[in-house]
């Protein structure tokens, strides 16, 4: 709200200035009107099915809607050996492979060809090794709960800290993404079923790994530059406004490939900057040659602790 | 060190073994006002290369014993020639009278001084020239006139930023009577803070920096205020479309002490009030508007022929306000009362206390104590009261955001002129900085919920900066003259000490009486950065110090060129330069000043830049037709490891070609015409070029079960979203910029003084120059590149008066 007020204060004088301004449609002679390119989106992880979404890009000035591609052929490689070629998409441009599932440490590549495009799309990435969470230590600093008399359930808010311990391998460059989920199991009397309310919780941290100390985060991106080879304990402070008697906190530590890390960080910046007219534009990372999108691997380690 | 000692030895031995010499010294002033004449020429008939008066009108000329005819000249003044028998040191103070015509020898001296000076990449621009340049809305603007010179970019349409030889707006040392000014803009940069009626002299240095200047990497804009008429009470003023000015000056004690006070205020808020109210559907409770003002005041006191005191103060402010007066309404038996006030303001206060002391005919000093404060503040206050039959509750919300910079400084400068071939300057400066990088105080008062009082943001940072310098303007022989200097500076912040020894060299070689070759090398280091939004000069631009993470900026500049006078009236110069800049900062992708919770160091990246090009300048200062032509061909690039994938990208204000033609001439006895035409190739913008479906960050990892785009409820819905691809920073060129401004002035003598009507047009052919671009839609609903232009054809009329 504070930021919106600040934005509002700036908008007023700029609107005053706009009284004498005018807008026209521009034709810049060398404004790049680029031809369409292939776009592929694929995250792969251990034991996941290979799935690729293929579509095509358009010039920013093209009025046509974005479309999926259904006539492409995807060649999938593992350690430079072709393991599958996929031609038949499902709806919405999803191509699936039956060639097995990715394995940790594997090097994978794709080549995508389509008769409508002269240049093939190419991308490669590795599947990072899993880095397990060794320990999660939950401490409650403050909490306030009330009992809902109608449904005999306990709800409230919790102020606490979660300490996450993991060991970074010294021999590799590692990229991480960390989130904490709250899973609240509750009984819905309307449809008489048990539901799980799952959401990310906000946390702050004074740890040097956290770039924006003092800011609330729901996702933490960091590398092993500072903690390479260490048994590291990351301390996070959180508030959960919607806890109940069945709440479980799930810490998810993703080990990302470098491409996944750069891409996901740039997407987060892109989303955040879209709300701020004064922010610097974001160049979204891509590891795709002759196209856009992302082809990247990740691995997941989870650890669950109960609130009670 | 060895070279320095050798140089000192040469200087001393030259002085020790020459013929007996004596010194003529004194002050040059305007006979009508007593105003000191800066940069006036003093020379012997046999040798036009004499000396010039310094910033305080002091001169010193050392010659061998003998008979001389000494000439004193200054543009716009009658020559004075004195026969001097030089067999002892003599004090000769000279008053020059304004003249109508210009004498040939004066023209020769002025053009000759430009050719023969060892200083290159420097332009002295007279206030009269500035006043002739057609101005936006009739507001004479020093900065806007400077922007018409080669090597200087203005940034966006109408802005008062200075981008000199590829440098950023924070790399300009803007001095007002020796005091740094940190934000020289009113109204987002559309007008500068400098009132031309209060100014005596303006000098811009773009390269070949003398050692006495430091602390900024790209330019020095040295502005001297008038001292005030020592002879009689005078006034001048103007009434324009959006602002009015009044300047009063006069003696406090005739020929001994004087004052000048000059103020300006806009009345946009008064004019716009009815329009704003109309736009707000006749809302009687809301008042909103904008105004700015600036005030210059100066007092000077001549204690004796050797001592002179000055006290000058500048205060200026911009304020946007929106006030909603208390209003009440009844709903369902409950009375609601609301009140709100919002205020956005920024401003500068500077003050300087100076003491000139003449130790001897060859040694002069200036000691200054200065204060400079720039602050920017946002205040937001709201109160709501709810009255029902049962209770009365109230809630007050207030938010105060403050940022800025404050300096206390002291310095001493010496001018030592031991011989005709040496003009030595040395001195020291100390500045105590307080940086206020931005803090928010948020308060809520609510009896039911409880009070909140939170301060967020960054603590003040205090730093000390100092420098020492020595320079010698040394005439080595009849053809070769050089300015050799050393500037040593240091900066202490948070127990971290930075320092730098900066060589400064400039030299000229006379190829003939009217042609010289000049070259220079400067190293500059600055310990402060400006976090600035590249799109518009916002008051939120933040001055921050070098830290452990963010190093001081540094530049190296090499320049070379020729200076020639043609037919006495024309001055021609052509220069090439190459400049490198290190430790520049830019906001990283997605960063913005709006996220005040985040430390500023987390929002920026450090990188480097370089700029190179050539400048052509042809100037005619004398005759009926006066003006100049400036042309710049330049390239300016940046490279940051983390930005733009580490690849080189053009600076936003990289303009390949930049042309300015400024001219003025009298039509007859009463009418005067001036015009300026500006052309520049397009600046660089960051715009998306393509769009595509991209995987977003939602529902990732363990929330997806095999299908990467499944949401948490398990439905098979792809979760990509439309993303826009940006090729790279500043990868799209805007349309070329050009406009023509004209102005007619009619002057009429009155019994009580003089009246001048100025009729002007900004952007005569209403070129829709680009202000910014975005991807939007045309009037048929098709996607289109939209250009927003700011200032079309804008007429202005100003009433000027003098008494």
């Amino acid at each position: 709200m504070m930021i919106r007020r600040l934005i509002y204060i700036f908008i007023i004088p700029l609107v005053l200035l706009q009284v004498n301004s005018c807008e026209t449609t521009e034709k810049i002679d060398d404004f790049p009107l680029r031809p369409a390119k292939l776009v592929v989106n694929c995250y792969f992880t251990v034991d996941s099915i290979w799935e690729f979404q293929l579509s095509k890009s358009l010039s920013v000035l093209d009025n046509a809607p974005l479309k999926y591609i259904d006539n492409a052929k995807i060649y999938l490689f593992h350690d430079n050996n072709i393991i599958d070629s996929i031609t038949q998409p499902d709806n919405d441009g999803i191509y699936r492979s039956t060639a097995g599932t990715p394995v940790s440490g594997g090097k994978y590549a794709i080549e995508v060809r389509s008769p409508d495009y002269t240049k093939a799309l190419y991308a490669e990435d590795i599947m990072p090794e899993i880095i397990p969470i060794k320990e999660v230590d939950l401490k409650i600093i403050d909490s306030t709960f009330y009992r809902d008399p109608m449904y005999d359930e306990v709800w409230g808010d919790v102020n606490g800290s979660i300490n996450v311990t993991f060991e970074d391998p010294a021999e590799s460059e590692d990229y991480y993404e960390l989130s904490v989920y709250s899973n609240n199991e509750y009984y819905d009397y309307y449809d008489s079923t048990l539901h799980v309310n799952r959401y990310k919780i906000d946390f702050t941290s004074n740890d040097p790994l956290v770039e924006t100390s003092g800011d609330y985060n729901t996702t933490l991106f960091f590398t092993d530059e500072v903690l390479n080879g260490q048994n590291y304990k990351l301390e996070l402070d959180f508030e959960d406004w919607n806890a109940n008697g069945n709440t479980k906190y799930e810490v998810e530590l993703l080990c990302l490939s470098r491409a996944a890390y750069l891409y996901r960080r740039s997407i987060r910046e892109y989303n955040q900057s879209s709300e701020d007219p004064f922010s610097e534009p974001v160049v979204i990372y891509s590891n795709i040659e002759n196209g856009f999108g992302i082809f990247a691997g990740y691995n997941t380690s989870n650890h669950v602790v109960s609130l009670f | 060190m060895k070279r320095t000692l050798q140089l000192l030895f040469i200087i001393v031995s030259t002085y020790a073994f020459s013929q007996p010499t004596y010194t003529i010294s004194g002050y040059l002033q305007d006979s009508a006002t007593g105003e000191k004449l800066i940069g006036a020429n003093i020379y012997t008939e046999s040798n036009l290369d004499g000396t010039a008066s310094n910033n305080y009108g002091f001169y010193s000329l050392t010659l061998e014993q003998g008979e001389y005819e000494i000439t004193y000249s200054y543009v716009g003044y009658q020559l004075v020639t004195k026969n001097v028998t030089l067999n002892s040191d003599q004090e000769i103070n000279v008053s020059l009278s304004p003249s109508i015509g210009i004498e040939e020898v004066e023209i020769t001296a002025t053009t000759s001084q430009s050719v023969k000076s060892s200083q290159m990449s420097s332009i002295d621009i007279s206030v009269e020239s500035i006043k002739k340049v057609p101005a936006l809305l009739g507001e004479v603007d020093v900065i806007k006139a400077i922007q018409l010179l080669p090597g200087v970019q203005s940034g966006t349409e109408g802005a008062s930023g200075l981008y000199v030889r590829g440098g950023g707006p924070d790399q300009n040392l803007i001095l007002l009577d020796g005091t740094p000014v940190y934000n020289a803009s009113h109204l987002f940069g559309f007008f500068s803070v400098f009132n031309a009626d209060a100014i005596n002299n303006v000098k811009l240095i773009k390269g070949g920096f003398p050692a006495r200047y430091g602390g900024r990497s790209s330019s020095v804009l040295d502005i001297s205020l008038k001292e005030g008429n020592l002879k009689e009470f005078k006034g001048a003023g103007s009434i324009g479309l959006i602002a009015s000015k009044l300047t009063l000056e006069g003696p406090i004690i005739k020929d001994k002490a004087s004052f000048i006070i000059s103020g300006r205020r806009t009345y946009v808020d008064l004019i716009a009030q009815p329009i704003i109210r109309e736009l707000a559907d006749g809302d009687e409770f809301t008042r909103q508007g904008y105004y700015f003002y600036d005030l210059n005041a100066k007092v000077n006191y001549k204690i004796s022929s050797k001592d002179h005191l000055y006290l000058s103060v500048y205060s200026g402010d911009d304020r946007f306000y929106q006030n909603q007066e208390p209003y009440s309404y009844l709903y369902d038996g409950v009375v609601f009362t609301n009140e709100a006030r919002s205020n956005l303001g920024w401003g500068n206060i500077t003050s300087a206390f100076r003491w000139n002391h003449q130790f001897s005919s060859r040694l002069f000093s200036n000691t200054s104590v200065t204060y400079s404060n720039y602050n920017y503040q946002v205040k937001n206050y709201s109160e709501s009261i709810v009255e029902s039959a049962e209770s009365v509750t109230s809630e007050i919300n207030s938010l105060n955001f403050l940022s800025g910079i404050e300096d206390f400084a002291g310095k001493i400068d010496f001018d030592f002129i031991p011989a005709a071939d040496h003009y030595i300057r040395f001195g020291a400066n100390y500045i105590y900085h307080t940086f206020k990088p931005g803090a928010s105080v948020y308060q809520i008062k609510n009896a039911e919920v409880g009070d909140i009082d939170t301060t967020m943001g960054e603590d003040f940072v205090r730093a000390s900066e100092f420098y020492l310098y020595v320079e010698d303007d040394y005439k080595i022989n009849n053809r070769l003259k050089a300015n050799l200097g050393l500037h040593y500076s240091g900066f202490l912040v948070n127990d971290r000490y930075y320092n730098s020894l900066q060589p400064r060299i400039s030299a000229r070689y006379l190829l003939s009486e009217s042609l010289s070759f000049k070259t220079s090398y400067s190293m500059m280091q600055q310990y402060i950065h400006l976090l600035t939004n590249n799109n518009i000069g916002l008051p939120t631009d933040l001055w921050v110090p070098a830290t452990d993470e963010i190093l001081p900026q540094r530049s190296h500049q090499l320049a070379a060129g020729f200076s020639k006078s043609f037919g006495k009236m024309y001055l021609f110069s052509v220069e090439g330069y190459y400049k490198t800049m290190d430790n520049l900062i830019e906001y990283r992708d997605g960063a913005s000043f709006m996220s005040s919770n985040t430390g500023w160091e987390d929002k920026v990246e450090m990188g480097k830049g370089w700029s190179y090009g050539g400048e052509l300048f042809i100037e005619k200062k004398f005759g009926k037709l006066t003006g100049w032509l400036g042309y710049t061909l330049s390239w300016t690039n940046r490279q940051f490891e983390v930005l733009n994938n580490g690849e080189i990208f053009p600076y936003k204000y990289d303009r390949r070609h930049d042309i300015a033609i400024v001219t003025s001439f009298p039509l007859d006895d009463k009418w005067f015409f001036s015009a300026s035409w500006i052309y520049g190739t397009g600046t660089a913008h960051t715009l998306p070029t393509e769009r595509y479906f991209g995987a977003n960050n939602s529902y990732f990892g363990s929330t997806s079960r095999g299908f990467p785009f499944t949401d948490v409820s398990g439905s098979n819905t792809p979760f990509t979203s439309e993303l826009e691809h940006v090729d790279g920073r500043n990868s799209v060129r805007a349309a070329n910029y050009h406009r023509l401004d004209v102005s007619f002035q009619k002057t009429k003598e009155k019994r009580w003084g003089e009246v001048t009507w100025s009729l002007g047009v900004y952007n005569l052919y209403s070129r829709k120059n680009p202000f910014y671009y975005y991807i939007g839609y045309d009037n048929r609903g098709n996607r289109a590149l939209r250009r927003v232009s700011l200032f079309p054809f804008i007429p202005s009329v100003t009433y000027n008066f003098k008494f």
Side-chain angles (χ1 to χ4, degrees):
Chain A
M1 183 177 162
M2 222 182 309
I3 290 176
R4 289 205 181 280
R5 276 188 185 174
L6 282 172
I7 292 173
Y8 182 64
I9 288 167
F10 283 115
I11 297 297
I12 292 171
L14 288 174
V15 165
L16 285 175
L17 291 171
Q18 288 282 318
V19 168
N20 209 13
S21 71
C22 62
E23 277 191 36
T24 50
T25 296
E26 175 87 350
K27 273 198 172 151
I28 297 179
D29 288 340
D30 55 356
F31 183 83
L33 292 173
R34 302 272 163 71
K37 286 182 186 161
L38 288 167
V39 181
V40 64
N41 291 295
C42 171
Y43 285 122
F44 56 91
T45 187
V46 169
D47 295 334
S48 71
I49 301 168
W50 286 102
E51 286 162 330
F52 310 84
Q53 187 194 64
L54 282 193
S55 56
K56 63 173 189 174
S57 70
L58 289 174
S59 164
V60 73
L61 298 182
D62 193 324
N63 292 309
L66 292 173
K67 283 188 178 158
Y68 301 111
I69 290 175
D70 56 11
N71 61 352
K73 192 167 185 179
I74 303 175
Y75 298 94
L76 179 62
F77 299 85
H78 177 204
D79 291 335
N80 299 318
N81 298 310
I82 187 168
I83 57 172
D84 200 3
S85 63
I86 314 146
T87 55
Q88 201 61 41
D90 291 342
N91 294 335
D92 297 341
I94 304 296
Y95 291 69
R96 287 194 177 81
S97 167
T98 53
T101 57
V103 295
S104 293
K107 182 181 165 187
Y108 296 93
I110 53 169
E111 189 176 298
V112 180
R113 293 182 183 277
S114 170
D116 301 327
Y117 301 90
T118 51
K119 286 186 180 177
L121 177 154
Y122 181 82
E124 63 181 40
D125 203 22
I126 57 144
M127 165 62 78
E129 298 286 350
I130 188 169
I131 294 172
I133 296 172
K134 285 181 143 182
E135 190 182 349
V136 173
D137 184 22
L138 172 68
K139 284 191 184 108
I140 305 302
I141 297 166
D142 189 21
S143 64
T144 307
F145 281 88
Y146 66 94
R147 183 170 289 278
D148 184 338
M150 184 178 284
Y151 300 107
D152 196 27
E153 288 174 343
V154 174
W155 291 90
D157 58 78
V158 173
N159 231 327
S161 71
I162 288 179
N163 297 337
V164 183
T165 305
F166 61 95
E167 184 163 353
D168 176 77
E171 65 278 8
S172 57
E173 278 185 17
D174 304 294
Y175 303 87
Y176 297 95
E177 178 179 335
L178 185 137
S179 303
V180 181
Y181 294 87
S182 173
N183 297 307
N184 299 329
E185 198 177 86
Y186 65 97
Y187 187 78
D188 188 330
Y189 287 89
Y190 181 74
D191 62 8
S192 303
T193 52
L194 209 59
H195 288 272
V196 175
N197 183 20
R198 180 185 170 85
Y199 53 91
K200 283 188 177 182
I201 61 170
D202 293 315
F203 56 81
T204 61
S205 177
N206 292 323
D207 194 290
L209 285 184
V210 180
E211 291 173 340
T212 52
S213 170
D215 272 3
Y216 280 97
N217 297 280
T218 54
T219 307
L220 184 61
F221 289 100
F222 57 96
T223 71
D224 67 349
E225 192 179 336
V226 169
L227 51 86
N228 191 38
Q230 292 178 37
N231 196 48
Y232 199 83
K233 185 195 249 185
L234 180 60
E235 296 179 15
L236 309 171
D237 300 317
F238 73 94
E239 281 185 78
D240 183 0
W241 298 94
N242 210 26
N244 70 7
N246 298 315
T247 292
K248 291 182 174 58
Y249 293 112
E250 179 184 343
V251 178
E252 181 178 83
L253 182 67
L254 301 177
C255 190
L256 307 170
S257 69
R258 183 174 178 274
Y261 173 81
L262 292 174
Y263 177 81
R264 291 177 63 73
R265 275 195 59 162
S266 67
I267 289 292
R268 183 175 71 170
E269 287 163 4
Y270 180 89
N271 290 335
Q272 286 175 348
S273 70
S274 63
E275 298 178 7
D276 182 348
F278 300 108
S279 65
E280 296 295 322
V282 175
V283 177
I284 300 171
Y285 176 82
S286 174
N287 67 340
I288 308 295
E289 274 182 47
N290 302 322
F292 296 115
I294 187 68
F295 175 72
Y298 70 96
N299 224 322
T300 309
S301 170
N302 300 83
H303 195 107
V304 179
V305 289
S306 294
L307 177 57
F308 294 107
Chain B
M1 176 59 84
K2 189 177 171 185
R3 286 188 190 279
T4 308
L5 289 171
Q6 284 173 342
L7 179 62
L8 280 171
F9 175 74
I10 291 168
I11 293 168
V12 170
S13 57
T14 302
Y15 177 64
F17 294 109
S18 58
Q19 296 290 325
T21 58
Y22 300 100
T23 302
I24 307 164
S25 65
Y27 291 86
L28 267 80
Q29 64 178 29
D30 181 312
S31 63
T33 65
E35 202 71 45
K36 296 292 187 293
L37 299 176
I38 299 169
N41 297 307
I42 304 100
Y43 53 91
T44 62
E45 282 298 312
S46 58
N47 174 17
L48 290 178
D49 182 20
T51 189
S53 58
N54 71 7
N55 275 3
Y56 309 100
F58 174 78
Y59 78 94
S60 174
L61 182 62
T62 300
L63 300 164
E64 291 179 4
Q65 183 177 5
E67 304 270 339
Y68 295 96
E69 201 172 78
I70 310 290
T71 301
Y72 299 83
S73 77
Y74 193 61
V75 175
Y77 290 80
Q78 296 175 29
L79 284 179
V80 167
T81 302
K82 289 189 181 287
N83 294 313
V84 176
T85 301
L86 194 59
N87 50 24
S88 65
D89 289 347
Q90 295 183 38
E91 184 178 328
I92 302 177
N93 296 314
V94 177
S95 295
L96 300 182
S97 301
S99 68
I100 298 168
I102 309 290
E103 298 189 32
E104 187 176 308
V105 66
E106 180 186 340
I107 299 169
T108 307
T110 303
T111 52
S112 174
Q113 187 189 39
S114 298
V115 171
K116 292 181 178 179
S117 169
S118 59
Q119 176 69 58
M120 67 179 302
S121 308
S122 166
I123 301 172
D124 278 280
I125 181 164
S126 69
V127 177
E128 282 62 44
S129 299
I130 292 169
K131 288 183 174 178
K132 287 177 188 172
V133 174
L136 174 63
L137 290 165
E139 284 298 310
V140 173
D141 196 304
V142 171
I143 301 285
K144 294 278 174 29
I146 299 281
Q147 290 170 351
L148 298 173
L149 300 172
V152 183
Q153 304 276 357
S154 64
T156 51
E157 164 87 88
S160 284
L162 287 179
Y163 299 79
V164 181
R165 290 187 173 174
D170 59 334
Q171 295 180 349
N172 309 305
L173 179 63
I174 301 177
L175 297 171
L176 186 64
D177 264 4
T179 311
V181 177
Y182 284 99
N183 185 312
S185 301
H186 287 307
L187 190 58
F188 300 126
F190 294 129
F191 304 103
S192 75
V193 301
F194 303 114
N195 182 346
D197 287 346
I199 290 171
N200 183 12
N201 191 65
V202 179
K203 186 186 189 85
L204 175 72
I205 306 174
K206 303 175 286 182
F209 300 100
R212 59 189 181 272
Y213 294 112
R216 303 290 188 278
S217 305
S218 280
S219 83
V220 176
L221 182 62
D222 197 347
I223 300 175
S224 303
L225 292 174
K226 285 181 179 173
E227 292 170 8
N229 196 317
L230 275 168
K231 309 285 185 184
E232 56 184 330
F233 183 77
K234 290 279 187 187
S238 67
I239 301 171
L241 281 181
I242 65 157
S244 288
K245 290 184 285 196
L246 180 64
T247 302
L248 300 172
E249 57 179 317
I252 299 172
I253 303 171
K254 193 172 177 185
D255 292 322
K256 204 166 174 65
S258 67
F259 77 95
I260 180 168
I261 183 163
S262 184
R264 171 174 63 164
R265 192 197 190 277
T266 180
Y267 25 74
V268 167
D269 49 341
L270 304 172
I271 294 170
Q273 212 48 251
I275 300 169
I276 292 167
R277 197 159 290 168
E278 190 59 37
L279 290 172
D281 293 327
D283 179 359
E284 294 175 1
F285 297 99
T286 302
R287 291 186 186 285
Q288 48 195 347
Y290 162 81
Y291 70 87
F292 74 76
Y293 82 89
D294 42 60
L295 182 71
N296 289 280
K298 188 167 179 178
V299 171
N300 83 88
Y301 179 59
K302 189 176 163 186
I303 302 171
S304 68
S305 62
K306 304 270 187 240
D307 293 279
H308 207 139
L309 295 176
Y310 306 85
L311 175 64
S312 56
V313 173
Y314 164 82
S315 172
D317 215 29
D318 282 69
R319 208 144 292 270
F320 281 102
Y321 60 87
Q322 184 186 32
N323 296 332
Q324 186 181 57
E325 292 167 14
Y327 73 96
S328 301
Y329 62 94
L330 177 69
Y331 178 77
D332 202 22
V334 179
V335 176
F336 297 86
T337 304
N338 296 312
E339 178 189 357
R341 293 193 294 275
S342 297
N343 192 306
L344 159 66
W346 67 95
N348 295 279
I349 295 176
T350 70
S351 64
F353 176 77
R354 289 181 298 155
W355 170 41
N356 291 167
H357 179 64
Q358 186 183 340
F359 289 90
S360 70
S361 58
R362 302 184 190 191
L363 183 62
F364 173 92
S365 77
N366 175 60
T367 306
S368 302
V369 176
T370 65
Y371 172 77
S372 179
N373 183 20
Y374 167 71
N375 72 73
Y376 150 71
Q377 196 166 39
V378 176
K379 287 182 185 174
N380 205 19
Y381 172 90
S382 67
E383 183 175 357
S384 57
I385 302 172
V386 179
E387 293 178 74
S388 66
E390 295 82 24
S391 64
V392 178
T393 56
S394 72
E395 179 171 310
I396 296 174
N397 286 269
S398 77
L399 166 67
N400 282 339
F401 176 83
L402 172 70
S403 72
I405 181 171
E406 184 181 54
D407 287 353
F408 288 94
K411 67 174 182 170
I412 185 161
D413 301 288
F414 293 91
D415 287 16
F416 176 49
I417 309 105
D421 298 340
H422 292 277
Y423 197 123
I424 299 170
R425 293 178 175 89
F426 58 96
N429 183 18
Y430 170 79
I431 309 172
Y432 182 72
H433 295 290
T434 301
F435 296 90
K436 303 166 193 173
S440 301
V441 179
Y442 187 52
Q443 293 174 319
I444 298 179
K445 287 183 183 165
N446 186 316
E448 287 183 352
V449 175
D451 294 352
I452 295 174
D453 189 337
T454 301
T455 301
M456 293 175 291
E458 305 199 56
D459 296 330
F460 290 1
V461 177
R462 294 182 167 82
S464 288
E465 181 179 351
F466 76 92
Y467 66 77
L468 307 165
Y469 72 91
V470 60
E471 64 175 86
D472 183 17
D473 206 36
Y474 176 31
K475 186 181 173 188
I476 300 166
N477 57 44
N478 284 339
R479 288 190 179 273
L480 185 61
K481 189 175 182 185
N483 187 301
L484 307 167
L486 274 177
H487 181 103
Y488 175 74
S489 64
F491 188 76
L492 178 66
V493 62
N494 293 335
D495 298 324
R496 180 75 192 248
Y497 179 65
Y498 292 103
N499 69 98
S500 154
L501 183 63
Q502 302 157 35
R504 312 278 179 85
I505 304 162
S506 62
R508 69 99 172 118
Y509 185 80
L510 269 183
L511 295 165
S512 72
E513 278 300 304
S514 62
L515 174 66
S516 65
F517 171 75
K518 298 187 184 184
T519 186
S520 68
Y521 167 76
S522 306
M523 177 185 159
M524 306 287 281
Q525 177 142 312
Q526 75 177 74
Y527 301 100
I528 61 178
H529 300 269
L530 181 68
L531 288 182
T532 178
N533 183 290
N534 274 327
N535 298 311
I536 188 169
L538 290 172
T540 55
D541 291 350
L542 204 56
W543 288 97
V544 292
T547 64
D548 285 342
E549 311 278 333
I550 307 297
L551 303 177
Q553 296 184 52
R554 181 178 298 174
S555 71
H556 299 266
Q557 186 179 161
L558 195 62
F562 293 89
S563 179
K564 174 147 180 71
S565 59
F566 282 101
K568 301 192 175 98
M569 291 278 195
Y570 294 87
L571 262 177
F572 167 92
S573 74
V574 60
E575 284 185 26
Y577 70 91
Y578 183 82
K579 180 160 83 174
T580 63
M581 293 163 278
D582 296 305
N583 306 327
L584 301 174
I585 61 172
E586 285 268 351
Y587 276 114
R588 55 171 58 164
D589 286 358
S592 165
F593 68 89
M594 296 299 290
S595 52
S596 62
N597 292 346
T598 308
W600 68 267
E601 287 170 89
D602 297 326
K603 296 194 248 185
V604 300
E605 297 294 338
M606 244 179 9
K608 60 184 179 182
W610 54 99
S611 180
Y612 54 92
E615 295 166 11
L616 170 70
F617 187 57
I618 302 173
E619 186 183 16
K620 185 173 186 283
K621 272 189 176 171
F622 308 103
K624 276 196 167 180
L625 177 77
T626 58
W628 69 82
L629 163 78
Y631 169 66
T632 308
L633 170 67
S634 67
W635 290 259
T636 303
N637 293 306
R638 299 285 192 260
Q639 188 174 28
F640 289 70
E641 193 180 318
V642 176
L643 303 179
N644 206 48
N645 296 320
E647 293 178 17
I648 295 169
F649 60 92
Y651 186 46
K652 181 169 174 65
Y653 300 109
D654 169 48
R655 274 191 202 277
R656 193 67 61 245
H657 304 277
D658 196 85
I659 300 170
I661 301 173
V662 180
T663 184
S664 58
F665 55 88
L667 296 170
D668 57 30
D669 288 346
K670 292 182 183 168
W671 287 92
F672 196 87
F673 172 78
S674 58
S676 60
W677 183 73
I678 302 106
Y679 175 90
T681 48
T683 50
H685 293 249
T686 306
L687 286 170
T689 52
E690 286 134 303
R691 57 195 179 95
Y692 61 95
F693 283 131
N696 59 37
N697 280 3
S698 305
Y699 311 105
F700 180 71
S702 62
T703 61
S704 65
R705 299 289 181 257
F707 184 76
F709 309 106
T710 308
D711 73 6
V712 290
S713 67
S715 63
N716 277 351
T717 307
F719 272 93
T720 49
S721 39
E722 187 169 317
L723 305 177
E724 289 184 334
H725 169 72
V726 171
D727 245 0
R729 282 215 176 190
N730 302 333
S731 57
V732 177
R733 288 286 166 168
N736 296 338
Y737 180 103
H738 53 92
R739 70 165 206 270
L740 174 66
D741 306 329
V742 296
S743 165
F744 291 88
Q745 294 179 0
K746 183 183 177 185
T747 301
K748 198 171 179 182
E749 297 293 328
K750 299 281 190 185
R751 269 184 299 116
W752 48 266
E754 183 183 279
V755 163
T756 301
W757 282 96
S758 297
L759 307 168
V761 178
Y762 181 92
N763 199 0
L764 183 66
Y765 50 81
S766 205
R767 160 81 175 163
K768 293 184 178 65
N769 288 306
F771 183 50
Y772 69 88
Y773 289 92
Y774 70 98
I775 305 295
Y777 297 88
D778 64 18
N779 52 16
R780 284 179 286 183
N782 297 319
R783 287 177 161 266
L785 177 64
R786 300 287 291 171
R787 172 177 58 179
V788 176
S789 306
L790 209 55
F791 296 131
F793 175 102
I794 300 183
S796 65
V797 59
T798 310
Y799 174 78
N800 304 281
F801 56 90
K802 284 186 199 175
F803 57 88

